[in-house]
Amino acid sequence: MSKAIEVNNLKKSFGELQAVQGVSFSAEAGEVLSLLGPNGAGKSTTISMLSGLLTPSEGDASIMGHSISREPLLAKAALGVVPQDIALYPDLSARENLDFWGKMYGLRGGALKIRVDEVLEIIGLSDRQKDKVSTFSGGMKRRVNIGAALLHKPKVIIMDEPTVGIDPQSRRHILENVKQLNAQGMTVLYTTHYMEEAAELSNHIAIMDMGKVIAYGTHDELIRMVGEQTRIEVTLNMEAEKVLSSWRSTEGVSKIDSLDGKVTALVDDSNRVLPRLFEAASKHGVRITSVDIQEPNLETVFLHLTGRALRD
Amino acid sequence: MRILDIALKDLSQIFRDKRILLFLVAMPIVFTLFMGFAYKSGKNNDAAKDNRIPLGWVNNDANGLVSRQLFEMLSDSDSLRLVELTPNAVDESVRKGEVAGALIVPLGYSEQLSAGREAQLTLVADLNSAQGQSIFQSLRTPVTQLMSAVEIARLSAETLGKPNDASELNETFASASQSWSASDSASLVKVELAVKDNFLGDWYGDNPYNQASPGILVQFAIMSLVTSGQILVQERKSRTLQRMMSTSLRPWEIIAGHTLAMFGVVFFQIALLVVFGQLVVGVDYMNAPLGTLLISVALSLWVAAMGLLIGTLVKDDSQVVLFALLAMFILSALGGTWFPLEVSSGAFATIGKLMPSAWAMNGYQNILIRGLGLESVWLPTLALLAYALGFFVLAVWRFRKMDV
Ligand SMILES: Nc1ncnc2c1ncn2[C@@H]1O[C@H](COP(=O)(O)OP(=O)(O)O)[C@@H](O)[C@H]1O
Ligand SMILES: [Mg+2]
């Protein structure tokens, strides 16, 4: 049995910029695979190539065994794509949008009507189906955006950051939708820069940074990569580059990154290292106003691998 | 089938905003009335200045007494205005409608008459036209008068036995030409049929709307390039183009769907303007209904396809408007929608005739002004369809290369 998604050394350059630099991964049928990475990592570019919007500069990929370069129409027919940006007609109603996209996927007549009703049910917008999409909240638009990719019951669905910038309720709804679709047997490729989402949904996670997959595995496998290290988040009462540089050379500190006065550090043993950090700070007349010791998570993994925090 | 679905979706979006009807229908109707009125009043103004019919005057008998006398008589005419021409310029001037006809005085005319021999003037004119008839009638009296005078003078001179004394003859001739004879002298003027482009001089036939109606129709059809060009821009902006590309639709199907929608819009507009032209301002599109239909279909397809091509070339709406307006001005001006190409000449007319807009005008005017039938629109229709196909192929080609 071939993989549901197979990506082989995909590359894409925009002029000088190598946005995707030889990405490979695969997803088994029926699993959720997350692409986790910060903005600009190359997630959307990878997905655009998978969905036939961009021609790869190099490499190939297949959906349900159909090569995107040699059998693009078959690959596309097996695929539902939820683009990162809302891709709907704002002047048409939710139902009109779904009707239209259903037709584009080859549905007609009674079958189309039934499926549109089902999808409206899934995305929880049956009661607002007659309203123009332009009158919807961000979260509702996102749900219609997902619904439009489900109409033809694709074997594989790709969702590109479907929860960015929406209310918690809609976000919850969408995450539940993903689990539900997956439970029905759909293979899901889910991209996000929220590590909690990747952790919650995925069977496997591929971490992307600067156009490359830098780690791949199950959630637990990835966590084990950081070993015994702990991630701590420290807030200072002022920006102090001197403090950071002395921390960097402190024994037991392996990585340090700072953003907006919040410092993230990866340390071997927080019980032994923290007092040293307090000491170094007070030497420079800087106070630590909060400390947060975190269980190792995907954020820790990213910091471990790149020396940078995974920020949104 | 999906092509039709795309087209129907586009149409429902386009006609959702009813203001489009203002642009599509109300504006061209107002402009048609305005232009027709302008052509009509322009014609009246000219007429007020000089009502007389322009008649070419070619004198091959430069020093002749009789011809000089004739010239003076005709110059005083209330109905004719003489325009002196060289013999070579006659055909061209008549054809262009600068003169309604030409009167040619043969070499040695005065001498022949003085010698009592027959001599004929030649009138180049179309006696089947109203103007040709007027000229002929207007010439009858003065020519007959003149001939009578010449005859009297000749006879007088002969009687006096001095046939060769020119001054004597002249005197008699001058006094005799005051008198009048009613003898029938139709044979004194030989008539040659003038070759004249039918609608020149009065290029819109008897109805100024024959130019205004199809002119505005074609011009506003071209204006739909804006709407057509904006379709892809809008689809790109709403990201729906990306979604479409991620379905199993082929690029040409996407372009075909949108082209079909714009074809519908332009054809709808043309149909309403044809009905308006026919029923309100008396332009006879129904002279060849099938011909009108063919030209209208081909014109609509061409505009739709060209608009789609523009959509693949531009970045945003403002560029669409820029491209479309530029195309519209060039195509309208060169294509003869504002004034007929036949009144211009040279490179302008030559290039203009190749424009798709000129083919459309040509097709309509074959029906409206030249009164021709279905067979006269085959060529314009095929030319427009060729343009439509060309633009469609280019649009698909560009679309495939486009970063969506
Ligand atoms: N069409 C494009 N032209 C030029 N650069 C692009 C284009 N699309 C993306 N990029 C660049 O490629 C890199 C990866 O972008 P993207 O794939 O959108 O990342 P992500 O989805 O992970 O945030 C970024 O640096 C982005 O600016
Ligand atoms: Mg992205």
Side-chain angles (χ1 to χ4, degrees):
Chain A
M1 169 76 204
S2 67
K3 312 262 184 180
I5 305 172
E6 186 134 34
V7 177
N8 234 319
N9 193 29
L10 273 188
K11 292 185 186 173
K12 183 71 190 180
S13 303
F14 299 109
E16 290 288 283
L17 178 80
Q18 294 182 297
V20 174
Q21 312 177 4
V23 160
S24 303
F25 59 82
S26 63
E28 301 288 341
E31 76 161 327
V32 178
L33 169 66
S34 285
L35 278 186
L36 174 68
N39 282 327
K43 305 183 298 293
S44 295
T45 305
T46 304
I47 280 176
S48 292
M49 290 189 277
L50 288 182
S51 45
L53 301 187
L54 287 177
T55 313
S57 309
E58 234 185 284
D60 196 7
S62 62
I63 308 291
M64 299 309 290
H66 301 294
S67 155
I68 56 165
S69 54
R70 276 172 287 114
E71 303 173 297
L73 297 186
L74 288 174
K76 284 175 177 181
L79 187 63
V81 182
V82 180
Q84 179 171 354
D85 303 296
I86 307 292
L88 299 167
Y89 297 106
D91 51 341
L92 300 186
S93 71
R95 177 152 208 127
E96 286 169 325
N97 265 287
L98 293 178
D99 257 338
F100 176 72
W101 292 112
K103 286 175 190 160
M104 292 305 103
Y105 283 115
L107 296 170
R108 327 242 135 235
L112 174 64
K113 194 190 166 302
I114 291 168
R115 185 58 186 159
V116 169
D117 285 334
E118 280 174 10
V119 167
L120 282 166
E121 200 61 42
I122 294 172
I123 61 176
L125 286 173
S126 301
D127 52 335
R128 295 289 305 272
Q129 56 175 290
K130 294 221 171 71
D131 295 345
K132 276 189 188 182
V133 165
S134 60
T135 66
F136 284 4
S137 72
M140 290 159 73
K141 285 180 189 165
R142 290 243 165 242
R143 278 140 73 184
V144 183
N145 202 36
I146 293 171
L150 301 177
L151 292 155
H152 59 309
K153 297 186 180 167
K155 295 256 181 352
V156 178
I157 184 157
I158 298 182
M159 297 186 170
D160 194 0
E161 309 220 29
T163 60
V164 169
I166 60 173
D167 57 289
Q169 213 182 330
S170 281
R171 180 174 184 171
R172 200 66 249 155
H173 195 115
I174 288 172
L175 294 179
E176 291 311 319
N177 275 162
V178 175
K179 290 181 190 171
Q180 193 186 333
L181 293 167
N182 180 240
Q184 290 163 12
M186 231 180 245
T187 307
V188 182
L189 177 60
Y190 189 96
T191 88
T192 182
H193 66 270
Y194 299 125
M195 59 107 191
E196 318 85 43
E197 290 186 355
E200 178 178 345
L201 297 172
S202 327
N203 300 97
H204 287 94
I205 299 166
I207 300 180
M208 269 193 89
D209 189 41
M210 301 174 102
K212 290 186 179 130
V213 173
I214 55 172
Y216 171 87
T218 64
H219 178 258
D220 293 347
E221 285 167 357
L222 290 171
I223 299 295
R224 255 178 263 136
M225 288 175 71
V226 293
E228 295 300 302
Q229 292 186 318
T230 310
R231 187 168 60 95
I232 55 179
E233 278 180 13
V234 183
T235 322
L236 303 177
N237 70 340
M238 63 173 85
E239 295 266 355
E241 193 46 47
K242 276 186 199 146
V243 176
L244 289 186
S245 60
S246 87
W247 282 1
R248 247 177 221 117
S249 52
T250 303
E251 197 199 327
V253 174
S254 69
K255 298 270 161 51
I256 278 203
D257 191 26
S258 91
L259 181 73
D260 302 336
K262 193 161 115 182
V263 181
T264 309
L266 203 58
V267 300
D268 291 337
D269 176 353
S270 54
N271 285 343
R272 284 194 302 119
V273 174
L274 263 177
R276 292 178 204 153
L277 299 186
F278 273 94
E279 196 183 322
S282 65
K283 221 190 289 177
H284 289 96
V286 175
R287 257 185 321 118
I288 293 178
T289 54
S290 79
V291 177
D292 189 5
I293 303 173
Q294 311 243 340
E295 279 294 298
N297 59 17
L298 292 171
E299 179 86 57
T300 322
V301 178
F302 192 79
L303 186 65
H304 169 76
L305 292 170
T306 66
R308 282 176 291 118
L310 185 63
R311 50 194 64 136
D312 59 46
Chain B
M1 198 58 192
R2 291 193 290 183
I3 293 174
L4 188 63
D5 292 326
I6 294 175
L8 291 174
K9 188 275 300 169
D10 283 352
L11 289 174
S12 88
Q13 283 180 304
I14 290 169
F15 286 106
R16 186 153 294 203
D17 186 354
K18 296 289 178 282
R19 277 173 304 180
I20 187 84
L21 293 175
L22 202 70
F23 182 74
L24 279 181
V25 185
M27 253 165 71
I29 284 179
V30 169
F31 270 88
T32 306
L33 291 172
F34 176 78
M35 291 292 271
F37 188 72
Y39 291 144
K40 203 174 356 184
S41 60
K43 185 186 177 187
N44 289 345
N45 284 347
D46 277 353
K49 260 185 277 156
D50 193 341
N51 226 345
R52 298 176 301 173
I53 301 168
L55 176 66
W57 169 261
V58 182
N59 193 358
N60 293 319
D61 180 38
N63 299 316
L65 291 168
V66 182
S67 54
R68 195 196 307 151
Q69 190 67 24
L70 181 62
F71 181 79
E72 268 155 31
M73 289 170 83
L74 293 177
S75 295
D76 288 341
S77 165
D78 289 336
S79 54
L80 298 174
R81 175 168 59 84
L82 287 189
V83 178
E84 285 190 69
L85 296 175
T86 62
N88 297 333
V90 171
D91 284 351
E92 167 124 12
S93 295
V94 171
R95 194 159 41 74
K96 281 196 179 170
E98 287 164 2
V99 294
L103 188 65
I104 301 170
V105 184
L107 188 64
Y109 182 65
S110 302
E111 213 172 289
Q112 298 267 343
L113 288 175
S114 307
R117 287 194 288 270
E118 292 223 336
Q120 263 187 331
L121 294 165
T122 303
L123 174 65
V124 181
D126 178 6
L127 286 193
N128 293 322
S129 74
Q131 285 193 327
Q133 273 299 322
S134 299
I135 295 171
F136 189 67
Q137 295 305 332
S138 308
L139 284 177
R140 271 177 81 101
T141 307
V143 172
T144 310
Q145 282 178 341
L146 184 66
M147 288 308 113
S148 310
V150 170
E151 189 62 9
I152 291 166
R154 196 185 61 80
L155 289 173
S156 308
E158 223 167 55
T159 315
L160 290 170
K162 298 167 186 163
N164 294 321
D165 189 331
S167 65
E168 196 67 28
L169 176 67
N170 196 20
E171 225 168 72
T172 322
F173 167 69
S175 63
S177 67
Q178 308 293 325
S179 66
W180 183 85
S181 158
S183 68
D184 180 40
S185 310
S187 66
L188 295 174
V189 180
K190 178 179 80 177
V191 176
E192 277 181 9
L193 187 65
V195 182
K196 184 166 115 172
D197 285 352
N198 217 348
F199 55 102
L200 283 172
D202 203 4
W203 37 257
Y204 37 71
D206 48 3
N207 182 353
Y209 291 106
N210 282 345
Q211 169 70 21
S213 173
I216 294 290
L217 181 153
V218 170
Q219 192 184 336
F220 272 77
I222 298 172
M223 220 172 293
S224 290
L225 285 176
V226 176
T227 317
S228 185
Q230 279 172 342
I231 289 185
L232 282 183
V233 172
Q234 287 304 325
E235 292 266 356
R236 219 170 339 171
K237 212 156 76 180
S238 64
R239 303 265 160 184
T240 42
L241 196 56
Q242 283 92 323
R243 194 187 277 282
M244 243 182 235
M245 300 285 281
S246 74
T247 71
S248 54
L249 281 165
R250 294 174 184 84
W252 75 264
E253 292 178 301
I254 297 175
I255 296 294
H258 293 313
T259 305
L260 185 60
M262 273 322 292
F263 164 77
V265 172
V266 180
F267 186 76
F268 166 78
Q269 178 188 37
I270 292 177
L272 288 180
L273 293 180
V274 163
V275 169
F276 171 80
Q278 180 81 28
L279 298 182
V280 182
V281 292
V283 175
D284 195 12
Y285 288 101
M286 290 304 120
N287 169 42
L290 200 56
T292 297
L293 179 71
L294 282 178
I295 281 291
S296 304
V297 165
L299 170 62
S300 311
L301 281 173
W302 158 59
V303 172
M306 181 168 171
L308 263 294
L309 176 64
I310 291 177
T312 65
L313 294 171
V314 298
K315 292 209 160 39
D316 53 35
D317 277 344
S318 62
Q319 283 191 359
V320 171
V321 174
L322 193 75
F323 262 82
L325 284 185
L326 202 70
M328 194 189 83
F329 277 116
I330 293 172
L331 289 163
S332 299
L334 285 182
T337 69
W338 293 340
F339 48 84
L341 276 183
E342 286 78 2
V343 305
S344 57
S345 61
F348 189 79
T350 313
I351 296 170
K353 276 180 183 135
L354 296 173
M355 297 275 160
S357 44
W359 283 110
M361 282 308 285
N362 188 273
Y364 283 123
Q365 298 201 319
N366 279 347
I367 295 168
L368 300 178
I369 295 177
R370 299 177 195 110
L372 302 173
L374 177 60
E375 67 290 341
S376 71
V377 303
W378 282 120
L379 188 62
T381 299
L382 286 177
L384 279 168
L385 287 178
Y387 269 108
L389 185 67
F391 279 114
F392 179 77
V393 169
L394 278 177
V396 172
W397 175 72
R398 278 287 317 167
F399 182 62
R400 297 173 68 105
K401 314 201 111 202
M402 204 169 78
D403 253 350
V404 289

